[in-house]
Amino acid sequence: MNIGIIVYSQTGNTLAVAEKMKETCIAAGHTAEIGRITVEEPEKADAAVKLSHIPAVKGYDALILGAPVQAFSLCRQMTAYLKQMQSVKGIPVACYITQGLPKKWMGGNRAYKTMRSLCMKKGADPMRIGHVNWRSDERDAQVADAVSAALKFVATAKA
């Protein structure tokens, strides 16, 4: 299977999870590629997000989307990407969230709901495969769980 892992990562945390997912998918015999969403610099908090790189979704058998929580919500960059993304009808989609605040209800749940809603408008009903709290003592286990869930998602998407 050809897996597209599309992420926005400002600090590198979300990207680090994507890289582990990619390595695991490749080790399992799949092809996997990370597509990074990038923005024009400098980005101002009160300005509209201008994406400088919009990863394509065509050509993948399954997609994994990853994004951080910012200001108790899905980051503006992933929101802008999902609004511009091509239709993903017929492509299995999974999502994961990273955040710094200690509880999922501190923006993580809202971020996932936003990702899900925007994906549904593009024809997919995404599976939630992970939620990583970067400041948690459980972070390594959360990353491992997200990577394991990604591999299970890929196996299920293949069937």
Side-chain angles (χ1 to χ4, degrees):
M1 265 190 113
N2 188 20
I3 313 304
I5 304 169
I6 299 174
V7 299
Y8 175 75
S9 185
Q10 184 172 351
T11 63
N13 295 342
T14 307
L15 179 60
V17 177
E19 289 170 344
K20 289 181 190 229
M21 288 179 179
K22 177 183 173 185
E23 292 168 8
T24 301
C25 287
I26 290 172
H30 304 285
T31 57
E33 180 176 284
I34 296 173
R36 289 194 67 183
I37 300 163
T38 57
V39 295
E40 292 181 12
E41 298 294 337
E43 187 179 5
K44 297 180 181 176
D46 60 346
V49 173
K50 293 181 183 174
L51 302 178
S52 58
H53 180 68
I54 302 170
V57 297
K58 289 193 177 190
Y60 294 114
D61 300 312
L63 292 173
I64 298 172
L65 305 173
V69 173
Q70 294 177 341
F72 299 97
S73 300
L74 180 63
C75 68
R76 298 178 321 124
Q77 298 84 353
M78 180 57 84
T79 300
Y81 173 78
L82 292 172
K83 287 180 178 178
Q84 296 178 37
M85 181 175 72
Q86 299 168 319
S87 172
V88 290
K89 187 171 184 169
I91 302 173
V93 177
C95 302
Y96 72 95
I97 300 292
T98 60
Q99 76 178 83
L101 294 174
K103 305 289 183 190
K104 290 180 182 180
W105 58 265
M106 298 175 124
N109 291 334
R110 173 195 254 174
Y112 173 72
K113 286 177 187 173
T114 301
M115 280 181 98
R116 183 172 188 271
S117 173
L118 291 169
C119 285
M120 290 181 83
K121 289 179 182 177
K122 299 297 181 167
D125 187 3
M127 173 187 289
R128 185 176 192 163
I129 59 170
H131 191 119
V132 179
N133 179 322
W134 216 255
R135 294 181 188 159
S136 171
D137 293 339
E138 305 291 319
R139 177 184 68 216
D140 291 341
Q142 292 170 356
V143 171
D145 288 347
V147 171
S148 175
L151 195 55
K152 287 177 186 172
F153 160 73
V154 169
T156 302
K158 187 177 181 180

